[in-house]
């Protein structure tokens, strides 16, 4: 339960465990409430990264943002995102957004994504979306046109993918530690294509 006029911010990075599941349930209990949920999951082996979230907005002028990013870098790796945002009738003038972006680096890697936005109120600004892909050829071409080889371009794009979540940590030392951990875990998993 999240009280009136409060701010709740969750920043999560998950990299370990053969099976990792996180259930997040936030219910805004008053008006003018801000909820921000940001997560980055990395599956570099035969791992399952699983996030189920539910955000319920019941009062006017609620604000919420959810960003979920995942990299699956192994052919047996898996990730799941089941995100539910519920904007009930009394939650007029709510601004809610949900985005899931997944990067698959191996042909048999698997991501199951189910963003769900339920809107009962009628005076709201809400959005949700999901994208699952490998790196785009035009992104790689951009680097190559500037003299950067394809392997180095892939690594730069992959390592920068998590930055949007990592940069939200309020402490620069923690940001650097997380960047180093992700680099250490991902480097052996990256093919030199």
């Amino acid at each position: 339960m999240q009280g009136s006029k409060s701010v709740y911010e969750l920043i999560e990075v998950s990299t370990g465990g053969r099976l990792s599941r996180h259930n997040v349930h936030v219910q805004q209990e008053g008006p003018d409430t801000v909820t921000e949920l940001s997560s980055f999951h990395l599956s570099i082996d035969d791992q399952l990264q699983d996030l189920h979230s539910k955000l319920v907005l019941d009062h006017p002028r609620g604000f919420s943002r959810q960003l979920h990013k995942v990299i699956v870098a192994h052919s047996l790796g898996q990730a799941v995102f089941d995100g539910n945002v519920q904007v009930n009738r009394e939650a007029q003038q709510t601004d809610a957004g949900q985005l899931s972006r997944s990067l698959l680096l191996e042909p048999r890697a698997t991501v199951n994504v189910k963003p769900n936005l339920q809107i009962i109120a009628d005076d709201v600004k809400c959005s949700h979306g999901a994208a699952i892909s490998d790196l785009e050829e035009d992104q790689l071409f951009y680097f190559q046109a500037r003299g950067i080889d394809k392997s180095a371009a892939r690594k730069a794009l992959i390592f920068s993918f998590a930055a949007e979540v990592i940069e939200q940590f309020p402490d620069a030392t923690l940001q650097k530690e997380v960047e180093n951990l992700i680099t250490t875990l991902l480097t052996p998993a990256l093919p030199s294509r």
Side-chain angles (χ1 to χ4, degrees):
M1 305 276 186
Q2 184 181 352
S4 180
K5 298 183 181 181
S6 66
V7 175
Y8 175 70
E9 184 176 14
L10 170 70
I11 306 165
E12 171 188 44
V13 173
S14 178
T15 62
R18 181 144 158 66
L19 170 61
S20 172
R21 179 163 177 161
H22 189 187
N23 295 318
V24 179
H25 184 141
V26 178
Q27 184 156 352
Q28 292 186 351
E29 288 292 307
D32 305 306
T33 307
V34 176
T35 307
E36 296 186 26
L37 309 173
S38 301
S39 58
F40 171 70
H41 293 178
L42 175 62
S43 181
I44 58 160
D45 206 343
D46 181 5
Q47 295 175 283
L48 171 60
Q49 297 286 342
D50 192 359
L51 174 63
H52 293 253
S53 65
K54 182 169 186 171
L55 175 58
V56 180
L57 296 94
D58 282 319
H59 299 275
R61 297 175 305 282
F63 178 88
S64 71
R65 287 292 177 269
Q66 182 172 26
L67 174 64
H68 174 258
K69 294 185 106 174
V70 64
I71 296 176
V72 182
H74 190 276
S75 61
L76 297 176
Q78 300 177 59
V80 173
F81 172 66
D82 184 357
N84 188 341
V85 177
Q86 185 177 334
V87 182
N88 291 326
R89 185 169 316 283
E90 300 301 318
Q92 302 298 328
Q93 299 176 336
T94 286
D95 183 348
Q98 180 186 64
L99 177 62
S100 176
R101 294 193 56 221
S102 303
L103 187 58
L104 302 179
L105 301 181
E106 289 294 326
R108 291 185 31 211
T110 304
V111 174
N112 295 303
V113 178
K114 185 180 146 195
N116 187 0
L117 181 59
Q118 300 171 1
I119 304 170
I120 299 170
D122 56 7
D123 180 14
V124 297
K125 182 171 95 174
C126 296
S127 64
H128 75 292
I132 301 171
S133 66
D134 191 352
L135 295 176
E136 296 180 21
E137 287 301 318
D138 61 336
Q139 293 173 320
L140 295 169
F141 176 79
Y142 178 85
F143 276 82
Q144 290 174 299
R146 282 147 185 79
I148 299 169
D149 69 80
K150 191 171 185 173
S151 176
R154 279 185 65 79
K155 287 179 182 175
L157 289 167
I158 291 166
F159 290 129
S160 68
F161 184 81
E164 191 174 2
V165 173
I166 295 169
E167 290 170 352
Q168 293 183 39
F169 283 114
D171 181 73
T173 303
L174 180 58
Q175 288 177 8
K176 192 65 179 165
E177 286 178 23
V178 172
E179 287 172 6
N180 290 340
L181 172 65
I182 291 170
T183 300
T184 300
L185 292 171
L186 261 178
T187 299
L190 292 180
S192 55
R193 312 183 214 177

